[in-house]
Amino acid sequence: MSQQNRNGAITITRLALPLLSCMAMLALGGSALADQRYSIAGTDRYQIGVHELQTRISYSGKETLTVTRAGSGKHFSARVRYTRSDQTGSVPAQASFDALMLPSGEQRDEANADPNYLTVLNQPFSVQLDLPTLHDLARLRGRIPFDFPSPMTGGTLHGYLSRGQFATVANRRAIGVNFDAEGPMQGPLPDHPAMTLDGTMHMHGTAYYQTGTALLLSLDATLTISGNLQDPKKATPVSIVYKRSIRADSASPVLKEASTH
């Protein structure tokens, strides 16, 4: 993203794209969705050492994204109800994220209660592009470089962005964006702050935006962390893989934009 506006998380104006300088998070003009529903899924896989720690956590649920006018900007609110499952069983959980989008495209986070990175507002790509950016994307040829902070570790990733294929997502025409980036990982492990890692990160995935509204309809992202624990006595290998998948539900109604009172 072009701005680090949420404690190291990222979204497409979170991507520093020199050839897409208009990449704002939000189309302030034109129609918008008052409510969009998504299906969400994800897995976290940890392996530390050969047999010392092996964990798999999975997530599945439903999300509602609501957009309202807020002065000259817009307010985005995401609410998720999901099930978290691991080797001990399954438990219901909730997550939420609220953000204000300014006319400049800057996102100001108001409330982040999404520790597992499941809301559409807490992902590598923006929830909505402006229409000029969408048109630039449709004409993009080849790859362009970008840099952005990792959503889960705060480290910086360097990579390339390219236009993907046109497709039908949730019964709507969409254009794809492919991304691939990597960078060093040096510091405490996510969810295991007492352990310090010296290694690398690699993130790749694809996002799809609706061609008419520039709304994010689908996102698949995988972040892989690998390396060794910083222990002078022995080298302990570490492998962590985060996968997140978000899909717009085809049954979601396209509503007129809501207004605040």
Side-chain angles (χ1 to χ4, degrees):
M1 24 182 141
S2 58
Q3 291 118 1
Q4 296 184 20
N5 43 28
R6 76 158 110 214
N7 298 325
I10 56 178
T11 72
I12 247 175
T13 12
R14 304 176 180 192
L15 304 180
L17 305 179
L19 296 184
L20 298 180
S21 59
C22 292
M23 264 224 186
M25 289 186 176
L26 174 65
L28 290 178
S31 62
L33 297 178
D35 286 290
Q36 170 65 55
R37 288 188 289 275
Y38 297 88
S39 297
I40 61 99
T43 58
D44 301 343
R45 295 204 314 268
Y46 298 84
Q47 181 163 337
I48 300 176
V50 179
H51 302 294
E52 296 172 22
L53 176 61
Q54 298 184 46
T55 304
R56 185 182 189 276
I57 304 170
S58 63
Y59 311 92
S60 63
K62 294 289 186 179
E63 175 173 1
T64 300
L65 176 71
T66 300
V67 186
T68 56
R69 281 284 182 185
S72 58
K74 288 185 180 179
H75 182 262
F76 278 63
S77 180
R79 298 291 182 267
V80 181
R81 293 181 179 272
Y82 64 99
T83 300
R84 181 188 185 277
S85 303
D86 59 20
Q87 61 269 28
T88 65
S90 300
V91 294
Q94 299 182 37
S96 63
F97 205 110
D98 289 271
L100 178 65
M101 301 294 188
L102 302 179
S104 64
E106 178 187 356
Q107 174 174 325
R108 290 187 179 175
D109 301 335
E110 296 182 331
N112 180 354
D114 182 21
N116 296 309
Y117 299 88
L118 297 173
T119 68
V120 72
L121 296 175
N122 204 13
Q123 300 300 325
F125 275 47
S126 172
V127 69
Q128 194 170 29
L129 305 180
D130 60 17
L131 296 182
T133 295
L134 189 68
H135 295 154
D136 287 345
L137 178 62
R139 294 192 296 267
L140 180 63
R141 298 292 183 269
R143 303 187 305 170
I144 58 174
F146 70 91
D147 301 298
F148 62 92
S150 162
M152 296 180 180
T153 66
T156 300
L157 299 172
H158 312 278
Y160 292 92
L161 180 84
S162 63
R163 196 198 77 184
Q165 300 295 317
F166 285 94
T168 300
V169 180
N171 297 324
R172 295 170 237 176
R173 184 167 173 77
I175 184 172
V177 183
N178 302 319
F179 59 98
D180 192 284
E182 60 185 16
M185 170 61 193
Q186 295 176 325
L189 290 176
D191 301 326
H192 296 280
M195 300 180 179
T196 303
L197 179 73
D198 186 359
T200 60
M201 298 179 291
H202 177 227
M203 175 175 274
H204 68 277
T206 301
Y208 280 94
Y209 287 91
Q210 186 174 354
T211 56
T213 64
L215 183 77
L216 182 66
L217 295 180
S218 173
L219 175 67
D220 287 289
T222 300
L223 175 65
T224 301
I225 301 172
S226 58
N228 290 284
L229 292 181
Q230 293 181 356
D231 186 340
K233 297 181 180 180
K234 66 174 181 177
T236 303
V238 174
S239 176
I240 304 174
V241 180
Y242 298 99
K243 292 186 176 182
R244 295 294 182 267
S245 177
I246 298 176
R247 296 278 190 282
D249 290 345
S250 58
S252 293
V254 178
L255 304 177
K256 291 184 179 181
E257 184 175 285
S259 59
T260 56
H261 299 284

